[in-house]
Amino acid sequence: MKGMFWRIPQARRLLTIGPPFLWLGLFLLLPFLLVLKISFSDLRFGIPPYTPLAELKEQTLTLALSLRGYALLFSDSLYIATYLNSVKMAAVTTVCCMIIGYPMAYYIARSHPAVRNLLLLGVILPFWTSLLLRVYAWVGILRNDGLLNNLLQWLGIIDTPLEIYRTDLAVYIGLIYAYLPFFILPLYATLVKLDLRLLEAAYDLGARPWRAFLRVTLPLSMPGVIAGSMLVFIPSVGEYVIPEMLGGANTLMMGRVMWNEFFNNADWPMAAAVTCVMVLLLLVPLIIFQHNQVKQMQVRKRRRA
């Protein structure tokens, strides 16, 4: 009987994909639904600091949905500017990681296997240290009396310290430093599997190295580029630690806004509304990316057929 059960394709498929979907449902969908419920509540002084959505009094069930958080979110220019600034900083960080990370991933993929392992270890090594400690190290580097300014003044390059700490530039440096490995690793995994015979064929047909790169290597590495970009862009939008430790008071990012609403203002409905809109904002590029991936897979299947 057990063997017959395993021969059923639907049963095997269910047992294969069931545990991951159960994990996502418990630790992703359920918490998001709880936050979504809080976003439609109203603020009150008490524990919890929000009103219930449904209340039963005198055999009457009352359902009350408050749109105060969403109305304030889309009417207050501060929140709109914060969203736009978060997306801008995440996009700039992603582009900088592309510019810096692509040559690094390409070099690692083309290195000798023994050297390649050491280079990969150098990319992974920062993960062995807490992000908080690594960002705090940048505080000592970028502050006015920090290592960078002292070195530049000792070399005679500058006379007065550079104002980098507590600026957007410091946040960009911290974001690029923290998320660069997330771009390099998936891109390296794509480049290392690239069939070098395609490049040899391009050279035999008279293509120069830069042309072979643009026509062969770059298109075939796009899945790694897109995957790495997603891994950099999505967490950068909601980053809290780096803007808090390196940014100034005018550095507007969603992570800091959510923290202030939750813990400083104790306005859980407003913080939940900010969180839900941010999640929906991040789901749009993921849905578009998944849709394009499915289309490309269908096109490849048709070509093979």
Side-chain angles (χ1 to χ4, degrees):
M1 191 69 179
K2 184 178 179 180
M4 293 179 60
F5 177 80
W6 277 103
R7 292 191 187 98
I8 303 176
Q10 292 81 359
R12 289 182 298 180
R13 188 180 301 112
L14 179 62
L15 291 175
T16 302
I17 67 175
F21 274 95
L22 180 62
W23 178 273
L24 291 175
L26 289 176
F27 298 103
L28 180 63
L29 181 60
L30 184 60
F32 176 74
L33 292 178
L34 293 175
V35 173
L36 183 64
K37 178 184 78 71
I38 296 174
S39 70
F40 288 106
S41 301
D42 199 2
L43 177 65
R44 74 172 182 182
F45 294 99
I47 300 176
Y50 55 87
T51 58
L53 294 185
E55 191 173 7
L56 182 61
K57 286 185 178 180
E58 299 178 357
Q59 299 181 352
T60 302
L61 181 63
T62 304
L63 182 65
L65 297 179
S66 175
L67 299 178
R68 180 189 66 89
Y70 293 98
L72 183 60
L73 185 64
F74 291 105
S75 60
D76 194 335
S77 60
L78 176 64
Y79 293 105
I80 298 175
T82 302
Y83 276 113
L84 294 177
N85 191 66
S86 297
V87 172
K88 182 198 74 172
M89 297 191 76
V92 172
T93 300
T94 304
V95 173
C96 292
C97 286
M98 288 183 188
I99 297 174
I100 301 172
Y102 199 106
M104 295 177 65
Y106 186 87
Y107 180 78
I108 296 173
R110 294 293 176 267
S111 299
H112 189 272
V115 179
R116 183 188 305 164
N117 293 333
L118 292 176
L119 294 175
L120 280 176
L121 180 63
V123 174
I124 301 173
L125 198 60
F127 291 112
W128 295 6
T129 307
S130 171
L131 175 64
L132 186 63
L133 295 178
R134 287 185 281 139
V135 176
Y136 191 75
W138 277 104
V139 174
I141 295 174
L142 299 178
R143 61 192 307 171
N144 291 351
D145 57 346
L147 179 63
L148 178 61
N149 279 309
N150 288 336
L151 177 63
L152 294 178
Q153 287 179 319
W154 181 73
L155 294 175
I157 298 177
I158 59 174
D159 296 326
T160 57
L162 298 176
E163 297 288 341
I164 301 177
Y165 181 54
R166 292 299 182 186
T167 65
D168 287 352
L169 178 58
V171 177
Y172 282 124
I173 293 173
L175 289 173
I176 294 169
Y177 165 77
Y179 291 107
L180 184 60
F182 291 93
F183 183 83
I184 293 176
L185 293 177
L187 179 58
Y188 160 79
T190 302
L191 290 172
V192 77
K193 294 184 292 185
L194 183 64
D195 191 353
L196 297 180
R197 293 176 298 180
L198 298 175
L199 293 175
E200 295 176 358
Y203 296 148
D204 292 339
L205 293 174
R208 295 184 177 182
W210 64 269
R211 191 173 184 85
F213 172 80
L214 293 177
R215 292 296 185 90
V216 179
T217 304
L218 185 60
L220 293 177
S221 65
M222 285 308 296
V225 172
I226 296 175
S229 300
M230 291 291 180
L231 291 176
V232 173
F233 180 82
I234 292 175
S236 296
V237 173
E239 179 61 46
Y240 168 74
V241 175
I242 297 174
E244 180 68 20
M245 297 187 67
L246 299 180
N250 296 326
T251 303
L252 300 175
M253 290 199 72
M254 295 314 305
R256 300 182 73 180
V257 171
M258 286 187 287
W259 175 274
N260 291 332
E261 294 294 348
F262 264 117
F263 298 102
N264 294 341
N265 301 335
D267 192 347
W268 287 28
M270 188 65 217
V274 173
T275 304
C276 292
V277 172
M278 187 187 73
V279 170
L280 294 177
L281 183 67
L282 295 177
L283 282 178
V284 172
L286 287 177
I287 294 174
I288 296 174
F289 169 69
Q290 184 66 25
H291 182 68
N292 292 333
Q293 288 292 103
V294 172
K295 277 189 174 182
Q296 291 179 6
M297 291 178 61
Q298 292 176 351
V299 170
R300 291 172 185 172
K301 289 181 179 180
R302 291 173 185 174
R303 289 177 178 176
R304 292 175 183 175

